[in-house]
Amino acid sequence: VVSTQSTGAGTSLQPNKLTRIEPKPAQNIASSLHNELIQRVNKSLEGDREAVQRPDCNTPFESFPDAFRKLMKYHIFFEPDTKDSYIKRVDKLHDEISLKLQKRKDNIYKKYYSKITEDAVRPIPRHAESSAVVTLLQQRILDDKKELQKIKDEVRKAKAAKAREEQRESENISPNPGGEFD
């Protein structure tokens, strides 16, 4: 992530200090792979920043791929600003979903806690106890699968909404028609 200095007239061509993502201490294989990825991204961004600050102005472009490769490093200057209203909407949506999921978890806990205590109080012959426990566990698994499917559907809908929002925002961001790179 690179931040740029903004002025009232637009974005400056001087990148601020590169913001590095600090890797977390490796706890397992997945986190160590994640840390390696973070280090590679940081190294790539650092290389792009250095290349932009010391451009090769004497060599002409040899082809379209050569021009693309040389100019792509300037992506560090064009990071769109996130609007506060968008951040507030995302925070509100996150809070609503978190609260809803917390309530579901509490309801499921209460439901099964009461069933387990009812079972514990009721006198059951020794041979029937195991089948009752198995039936209760089977019912719990079915309920958990239903809840998981609901959560997956909500996440899928939220991702689709986020993708649509990002698409709308990216369509609203247009290149500077009278800018420096025309």
Side-chain angles (χ1 to χ4, degrees):
V1 177
V2 175
S3 58
T4 56
Q5 294 175 342
S6 294
T7 61
T11 304
S12 169
L13 287 181
Q14 289 296 323
N16 284 341
K17 191 169 116 180
L18 187 65
T19 304
R20 296 182 56 85
I21 301 170
E22 294 301 324
K24 297 178 181 176
Q27 297 171 349
N28 56 32
I29 294 172
S31 64
S32 66
L33 292 175
H34 181 72
N35 287 342
E36 289 175 20
L37 177 66
I38 288 173
Q39 289 171 351
R40 287 197 316 257
V41 168
N42 286 337
K43 185 176 180 181
S44 175
L45 287 173
E46 182 68 26
D48 287 352
R49 186 179 66 81
E50 290 297 321
V52 167
Q53 289 182 342
R54 294 178 191 82
D56 178 16
C57 300
N58 300 325
T59 309
F61 298 129
E62 296 173 3
S63 63
F64 179 77
D66 180 50
F68 181 80
R69 183 180 49 80
K70 288 179 179 178
L71 295 176
M72 188 59 187
K73 296 177 186 324
Y74 287 89
H75 72 87
I76 64 172
F77 291 115
F78 299 109
E79 181 179 323
D81 293 332
T82 306
K83 297 179 182 174
D84 287 338
S85 60
Y86 178 73
I87 292 173
K88 287 178 184 176
R89 281 195 322 241
V90 169
D91 284 344
K92 182 180 177 185
L93 181 64
H94 176 266
D95 291 344
E96 289 173 1
I97 290 173
S98 298
L99 184 61
K100 191 182 224 181
L101 292 175
Q102 181 66 36
K103 286 181 181 178
R104 278 188 190 170
K105 182 194 77 104
D106 291 343
N107 289 338
I108 289 172
Y109 178 77
K110 287 177 188 175
K111 175 181 175 182
Y112 289 111
Y113 182 77
S114 64
K115 286 188 178 192
I116 290 171
T117 54
E118 287 172 11
D119 250 8
V121 172
R122 185 169 21 117
I124 300 175
R126 197 72 172 142
H127 67 277
E129 184 176 334
S130 63
S131 64
V133 170
V134 169
T135 304
L136 181 63
L137 291 175
Q138 287 175 340
Q139 183 62 41
R140 180 177 180 184
I141 289 170
L142 289 175
D143 289 346
D144 286 347
K145 285 181 179 179
K146 289 177 186 176
E147 287 295 323
L148 181 61
Q149 187 59 44
K150 286 180 187 177
I151 291 169
K152 285 180 179 180
D153 292 341
E154 285 183 17
V155 168
R156 192 177 309 116
K157 288 177 185 177
K159 284 182 178 179
K162 181 179 176 185
R164 285 191 303 270
E165 181 68 28
E166 288 175 352
Q167 179 66 29
R168 276 189 233 122
E169 287 187 15
S170 68
E171 290 172 0
N172 291 338
I173 299 173
S174 61
N176 187 0
E180 299 87 11
F181 299 104
D182 286 342

